[in-house]
Amino acid sequence: MSFKTFKNNLLNNPLPFNVVRSILLAGKGRMYKELRNAIAPEKDSKVLDVGSGTGEFALLFDNSIDYTGIDMNSGFLDYASSLYKNQNKKFIQMDATKMSFKKSEFDISLLLSFIHHFSESDLDKILKEVNRITKKRIFVLEPVPRKYNILSKLFYALDRGDFIRKKEEQLRILNKYFTVDSYKEFKSGLYTLSIIQCSSR
Ligand SMILES: C[S@@+](CC[C@H](N)C(=O)[O-])C[C@H]1O[C@@H](n2cnc3c(N)ncnc32)[C@H](O)[C@@H]1O
């Protein structure tokens, strides 16, 4: 079995996925804080989390927010559904390249640690759809390559995404479908992460 297959099999399970991320980021506090400050949704907002995984980011929203997470991994969806049962949160199995939501159905869409899993041609489908179903704002969280740090390079190899892109590439692709309003980078453990705030067109 190749390292890539082993890594993907392991990280398709909720517990290893969450533990590996905690180690790589040296805890998740900074990431949560940055996202909370950036998103700050108005009460009663409808939020879509595209590729919601184990529901890591659903905890950013209280019950005044109508939260929907979509993902393809049924194990992740079951884990998230049981974690947040009795809250204003639903987790649905849906392919982000073929979403069945109405135009402007959500106030806010989240693409968190998601777009580096896709080639540009897949992203063309996904981002076009996200623009269609989002009324106001889109938030992107992405790893940014660290050039000269060998240890970081080694740990980035643990990420399952094959398309970790430089800032300029991230912005070029997002600009095709959204208006990019702000870009911020911060360091967390061995990762540098970007938060990109966009508006739908
Ligand atoms: C790195 S994980 C990020 C999960 C979550 N956003 C987080 O940061 O914890 C990427 C997620 O995208 C999901 N995914 C991959 N392809 C997808 C697709 N076509 N449609 C919906 N979800 C997909 C995977 O199952 C995985 O849960």
Side-chain angles (χ1 to χ4, degrees):
M1 187 192 292
S2 71
F3 173 66
K4 191 169 180 180
T5 312
F6 169 75
K7 177 182 74 173
N8 287 347
N9 289 346
L10 180 75
L11 297 179
N12 266 338
N13 297 297
L15 204 59
F17 176 86
N18 288 341
V19 169
V20 167
R21 176 187 260 164
S22 274
I23 294 168
L24 296 183
L25 296 181
K28 299 173 191 166
R30 177 80 198 271
M31 178 175 67
Y32 287 145
K33 186 170 161 231
E34 294 287 347
L35 281 170
R36 245 194 209 102
N37 289 344
I39 303 171
E42 285 167 26
K43 208 166 165 268
D44 299 326
S45 296
K46 279 193 81 170
V47 172
L48 175 68
D49 189 356
V50 182
S52 52
T54 57
E56 281 267 80
F57 295 108
L59 60 76
L60 297 176
F61 306 101
D62 64 26
N63 276 338
S64 74
I65 305 299
D66 181 345
Y67 169 100
T68 302
I70 65 157
D71 206 284
M72 294 289 279
N73 181 326
S74 55
F76 281 1
L77 289 163
D78 289 347
Y79 178 89
S81 300
S82 66
L83 200 61
Y84 297 102
K85 64 170 180 272
N86 306 325
Q87 295 192 31
N88 194 12
K89 296 177 173 56
K90 32 185 182 303
F91 295 91
I92 304 169
Q93 191 163 37
M94 194 184 287
D95 184 346
T97 62
K98 298 175 204 139
M99 288 188 276
S100 57
F101 297 113
K102 290 190 221 113
K103 186 175 186 308
S104 302
E105 184 161 339
F106 296 93
D107 299 297
I108 294 173
S109 290
L110 308 174
L111 298 162
L112 304 179
S113 197
F114 183 71
I115 67 175
H116 61 288
H117 291 269
F118 298 93
S119 66
E120 188 163 347
S121 62
D122 281 339
L123 278 180
D124 282 335
K125 291 181 212 142
I126 295 170
L127 301 183
K128 192 171 171 209
E129 266 303 276
V130 169
N131 185 56
R132 185 185 68 80
I133 63 179
T134 310
K135 209 186 297 175
K136 296 177 185 160
R137 296 184 295 153
I138 297 129
F139 292 90
V140 177
L141 176 80
E142 273 296 291
V144 183
R146 278 190 189 180
K147 267 191 203 152
Y148 303 113
N149 184 333
I150 289 179
L151 195 60
S152 268
K153 268 195 177 158
L154 189 70
F155 281 98
Y156 271 54
L158 276 176
D159 197 299
R160 285 175 302 160
D162 288 332
F163 303 95
I164 295 183
R165 299 177 175 94
K166 291 181 183 162
K167 172 184 177 182
E168 295 71 26
E169 268 298 278
Q170 293 182 18
L171 294 180
R172 182 186 65 75
I173 293 173
L174 294 170
N175 257 314
K176 284 163 66 175
Y177 298 96
F178 314 138
T179 302
V180 175
D181 298 317
S182 69
Y183 176 95
K184 176 177 184 180
E185 278 180 14
F186 63 95
K187 288 189 168 55
S188 185
L190 291 160
Y191 267 73
T192 298
L193 297 170
S194 62
I195 295 184
I196 310 166
Q197 188 176 161
C198 308
S199 305
S200 58
R201 288 201 183 125

